[in-house]
Amino acid sequence: MHAVVQHPFGTLSGALRNADAWCDLLTLPANVKRCAVEDDQAPGATLHMAVGRKFDQPIEDAYALDFRFQVLAAQPQYLLVEMSANKGPMGTSNYRLTLEAVPIDAKRSFVRLRYAYVNNFAARVATSAYLSTSGRDKVGFTVVGRESDGQPRYVGGIQGIAERNTMRYFLAIESYLDTLPAPAEQRLDRRLRDWFAATERYARQLHEQSLEEYVAMKHKEARRQVAIAPGG
């Protein structure tokens, strides 16, 4: 996806070159239960994530997903950050989350966010089961036609899943940047409420739970967040 964000390139680049910033913003989506940074320097930091369901659940019941974090380019007019993981939950693999950014003017930046992964047979079976049950009415953002009443018909299936996840991550980036000026002790709550409000602008695709349920769950997860030992 491509977007213009209302933040100077220097602010954006300075923040998003930091692995800890990505841990903070990637835990805003409801299914990311925990993130801790292991800074092993070569070739970059590792983000140890726990990914689960979109409601409250014990951390030990979530899936581990370890992203290698790398700043591939950090120039005065260009930023390229990549996170990659060879293995993911339920047979998924080859995760790539890539952000590119350039300045537009003194107050705005242009970003391109790419997100992709590979499903093996087991993951395809699990995805098919999801899409035929609780995910059967879920849609993405690409318009593929028109309904009889003229309303847009949105893409479904695995492309819809990928588009929803990409949008969640983009809105998390925006919410993180928007709340940087807030006092440190207020940032988490402001980010949670800002991110939820942003997703509700796309409720057809992204609505999952109430604001109260989401905020309570995320504050609980933040309280039990602990550092993850290398290899944990």
Side-chain angles (χ1 to χ4, degrees):
M1 67 172 296
H2 305 83
V4 175
V5 295
Q6 304 298 317
H7 294 280
F9 178 76
T11 300
L12 180 151
S13 179
L16 299 183
R17 284 181 286 178
N18 188 322
D20 289 310
W22 283 91
C23 252
D24 287 344
L25 68 90
L26 287 173
T27 50
L28 292 176
N31 67 320
V32 181
K33 303 301 178 181
R34 182 175 64 186
C35 181
V37 175
E38 178 192 344
D39 189 8
D40 55 2
Q41 297 299 319
T46 299
L47 275 59
H48 297 288
M49 297 171 59
V51 180
R53 299 182 182 274
K54 296 178 180 128
F55 52 79
D56 192 22
Q57 69 176 145
I59 290 291
E60 55 269 20
D61 292 344
Y63 295 99
L65 180 59
D66 297 335
F67 274 116
R68 174 71 68 189
F69 175 86
Q70 298 181 84
V71 179
L72 299 180
Q75 302 168 4
Q77 301 289 311
Y78 179 63
L79 176 69
L80 173 59
V81 173
E82 181 183 84
M83 281 167 284
S84 59
N86 291 330
K87 295 189 299 182
M90 302 177 65
T92 54
S93 62
N94 295 330
Y95 280 77
R96 294 292 184 274
L97 180 62
T98 304
L99 175 118
E100 294 177 276
V102 296
I104 294 177
D105 53 34
K107 296 182 178 180
R108 300 179 299 161
S109 302
F110 177 82
V111 301
R112 176 163 63 182
L113 188 67
R114 294 179 175 180
Y115 173 69
Y117 62 91
V118 174
N119 278 336
N120 70 2
F121 177 75
R124 289 195 296 272
V125 170
T127 300
S128 295
Y130 165 75
L131 291 172
S132 64
T133 54
S134 60
R136 63 183 176 274
D137 296 323
K138 303 270 187 188
V139 296
F141 291 87
T142 298
V143 177
V144 295
R146 294 284 169 180
E147 304 293 351
S148 58
D149 61 359
Q151 294 299 308
R153 181 186 305 125
Y154 296 103
V155 69
I158 194 165
Q159 183 177 335
I161 293 173
E163 290 183 0
R164 291 193 299 276
N165 284 335
T166 305
M167 179 62 85
R168 289 184 183 106
Y169 296 145
F170 168 72
L171 296 177
I173 292 169
E174 274 204 316
S175 296
Y176 179 86
L177 295 171
D178 287 347
T179 55
L180 283 177
E185 67 276 9
Q186 297 178 15
R187 286 177 194 160
L188 174 61
D189 193 68
R190 289 196 182 184
R191 278 175 193 151
L192 295 175
R193 296 176 184 278
D194 186 270
W195 183 84
F196 186 89
T199 63
E200 287 296 287
R201 296 200 303 266
Y202 309 99
R204 174 72 179 89
Q205 291 88 356
L206 302 181
H207 180 79
E208 299 286 350
Q209 59 198 146
S210 71
L211 172 63
E212 293 74 17
E213 291 170 328
Y214 168 74
V215 171
M217 178 183 71
K218 284 299 176 181
H219 276 296
K220 182 178 179 180
E221 290 170 3
R223 289 193 296 269
R224 68 190 181 193
Q225 168 104 349
V226 294
I228 300 175

